[in-house]
Amino acid sequence: MLRGKNILIGITGSIAAFKVPLLIRLLKKEGANVKVVMTKCATDFVTPLTLSTLSQQPVLIEPYNKVDGSWHSHVEWGRWADLFIIAPASANTLAKMANGIADNLLSTCYLAAKCPVFFAPAMDLDMFYHPTTAKNIKILQSYGNRLIEPQTGELASGLTGAGRMEEPDVIMQIINDHFGKQRDLEGKNVLVTAGPTHEAIDPVRFIGNHSSGLMGYALAEEAAQRGANVTLVSGPVNISTQNPSVNLIKVITASQMLDECNKAFEQSDLVIMAAAVADYTPETLATEKIKKKGSLSLNLKATTDILASMGSKKKKGQFLVGFALETENEKVNAVKKLNNKNLDLIVLNSLNDKGAGFGTDTNKVTMIFSDKTEIATGTLPKTTIATLIINQIVKRF
Ligand code: CTP
């Protein structure tokens, strides 16, 4: 599956660098072309000679050759790669990547890379849990880079916790999945909604909710990787997508989301409503900031249920997916929504499940189909949940 694929490996200074020779061997065995760029600090943990012997390519560390003065083009290497995998990725390098600092060959290759970038952090648990590292990882993910989660276990410091770089065989599986993704949505038009909506009360306040948009963006990305033309109608969120097959349309209110969905619905083969749309909006919008007084009552009117309105005009061949976030009588309520809104699938999140729903990078869902089939997942990254949901939809398409 990896025959002829160009994989650039970036190694930074961490004891986990000792795992990279095995990763290179596994990649070469599958027919990939491998090149290595490493930081100076990384050379203290694994020798360039070992890496160049295994990759059958010169290993680059400096931006230029000190002997003959020739320049090593980071742009060329960044463009050569079909995948750039930074493993191990130290806290220092993650901070540079997140902030556009390009002070060595590896970080300049990162900025020049046109291909997907995966990064596998390795560090002590306190460094991993430090808010700066957590923020940098979030920033990198928001740019479309993929995190290969570190494992929990014994660390080189003697402490036990998260920060151990993922094992080479698991990284191989992730790389294989990436390249093996079937283009089974080729030519299909997919409409996805994501994030919250904000309903203005006055010029400075709104009614909103905690939706991060992560689930909807992961679904849009997954569908695009599988060949679909995706229209992503997104409420206000702090994430973005770089995928050229995703047409991102930003909206703020439920009414704007409805308008954009109406424009795209007719041509859509698959519609996934992952947005947390406000059910109510203020009856009137105050033109001036509402001043503080004893108590305040707001009159709200119901918004249009976008999903239900699309369900009512669904044509043969269109597949409609809704989400249900429930806190009680989860399945009964979800099935009601499936039937009332004329859906083919409802994806149920329960707020009673740890690691599910709003504000987490993970989710745990139960898919309930119109033919009454139920499929439950474990607690997994939202990107993996997106793959599982699309796998099931494609089977029934
Ligand atoms: N939805 C929608 N338009 C709305 C409200 C909800 O399209 N105005 C969609 C959501 O995107 C989701 C599904 O309907 O896919 C279910 O949303 P949810 O808020 O769980 O349910 P509601 O139907 O609004 O019912 P309730 O809030 O009473 O649980």
Side-chain angles (χ1 to χ4, degrees):
M1 196 181 293
L2 297 182
R3 187 148 305 280
K5 295 283 181 231
N6 295 336
I7 316 284
L8 180 59
I9 302 183
I11 310 177
T12 73
S14 154
I15 180 68
F18 82 87
K19 297 181 182 178
V20 178
L22 177 55
L23 178 63
I24 297 174
R25 267 191 46 153
L26 294 172
L27 284 165
K28 293 294 290 179
K29 239 168 95 179
E30 295 231 2
N33 306 314
V34 181
K35 287 185 181 180
V36 175
V37 56
M38 64 200 298
T39 62
K40 239 204 218 124
C41 184
T43 61
D44 291 332
F45 293 96
V46 59
T47 72
L49 181 61
T50 306
L51 301 164
S52 67
T53 308
L54 290 170
S55 64
Q56 298 160 327
Q57 293 283 342
V59 169
L60 294 192
I61 305 156
E62 303 284 353
Y64 63 93
N65 184 329
K66 282 187 173 155
V67 179
D68 64 10
S70 61
W71 181 54
H72 297 141
S73 170
H74 53 278
V75 176
E76 208 177 280
W77 277 46
R79 283 179 180 260
W80 170 84
D82 295 313
L83 177 69
F84 187 12
I85 170 156
I86 298 162
S90 65
N92 182 42
T93 292
L94 293 181
K96 288 182 190 177
M97 288 161 64
N99 291 286
I101 296 171
D103 63 351
N104 60 32
L105 190 63
L106 191 152
S107 51
T108 49
C109 281
Y110 165 68
L111 282 184
K114 285 273 166 286
C115 60
V117 177
F118 293 3
F119 61 102
M123 64 198 72
D124 215 46
L125 78 160
D126 295 322
M127 293 173 81
F128 183 66
Y129 284 125
H130 194 282
T132 315
T133 307
K135 188 172 150 211
N136 289 333
I137 289 176
K138 277 237 153 33
I139 292 174
L140 290 172
Q141 287 178 298
S142 76
Y143 296 155
N145 302 300
R146 179 161 169 191
L147 166 70
I148 300 178
E149 294 265 3
Q151 292 308 302
T152 298
E154 213 173 282
L155 303 169
S157 61
L159 297 172
T160 301
R164 216 163 79 169
M165 190 180 95
E166 187 51 280
E167 295 303 322
D169 55 336
V170 178
I171 296 180
M172 272 306 285
Q173 202 183 323
I174 292 168
I175 296 172
N176 269 318
D177 282 354
H178 169 74
F179 284 111
K181 207 151 261 181
Q182 285 183 34
R183 307 273 298 174
D184 46 16
L185 285 177
E186 193 78 64
K188 298 281 183 205
N189 294 324
V190 176
L191 168 63
V192 181
T193 64
T197 63
H198 288 179
E199 310 300 320
I201 298 168
D202 68 13
V204 295
R205 304 180 179 97
F206 60 82
I207 298 172
N209 60 64
H210 295 298
S211 171
S212 62
L214 279 174
M215 195 64 245
Y217 276 67
L219 284 158
E221 196 73 38
E222 175 73 18
Q225 284 171 14
R226 292 164 83 143
N229 307 311
V230 180
T231 301
L232 173 60
V233 182
S234 170
V237 292
N238 291 322
I239 52 175
S240 192
T241 170
Q242 306 296 322
N243 196 312
S245 301
V246 177
N247 175 24
L248 175 63
I249 299 171
K250 291 189 173 177
V251 297
I252 295 173
T253 65
S255 144
Q256 290 167 351
M257 189 172 273
L258 172 68
D259 288 347
E260 294 301 333
C261 287
N262 278 342
K263 283 185 210 161
F265 179 70
E266 182 87 16
Q267 297 79 35
S268 298
D269 303 295
L270 167 63
V271 178
I272 308 177
M273 285 286 304
V277 188
D279 287 331
Y280 294 94
T281 190
E283 244 173 26
T284 52
L285 167 63
T287 48
E288 304 298 337
K289 186 181 169 204
I290 299 171
K291 286 292 177 194
K292 187 161 53 185
K293 48 189 176 207
S295 65
L296 173 72
S297 300
L298 280 176
N299 284 333
L300 304 177
K301 60 180 181 194
T303 57
T304 303
D305 189 314
I306 305 170
L307 186 57
S309 87
M310 290 192 290
S312 68
K313 52 189 180 190
K314 184 174 74 172
K315 288 182 307 213
K316 205 167 166 249
Q318 285 183 309
F319 197 98
L320 204 50
V321 183
F323 271 71
L325 180 65
E326 304 292 342
T327 55
E328 54 174 353
N329 295 329
E330 288 97 337
K331 275 195 191 160
V332 175
N333 285 331
V335 170
K336 253 190 219 158
K337 286 176 191 173
L338 175 82
N339 295 330
N340 292 347
K341 301 190 190 195
N342 191 24
L343 309 181
D344 300 285
L345 162 64
I346 189 122
V347 181
L348 167 64
N349 294 290
S350 168
L351 268 196
N352 297 322
D353 287 327
K354 221 172 142 247
F358 287 172
T360 63
D361 296 342
T362 56
N363 208 354
K364 181 177 182 211
V365 303
T366 303
M367 293 174 248
I368 307 174
F369 292 87
S370 50
D371 65 5
K372 299 198 168 57
T373 317
E374 281 184 26
I375 297 168
T377 71
T379 306
L380 296 164
K382 283 184 174 164
T383 45
T384 311
I385 296 282
T387 307
L388 297 178
I389 292 173
I390 302 278
N391 283 349
Q392 290 302 325
I393 292 172
V394 165
K395 271 191 197 170
R396 291 163 170 84
F397 221 9

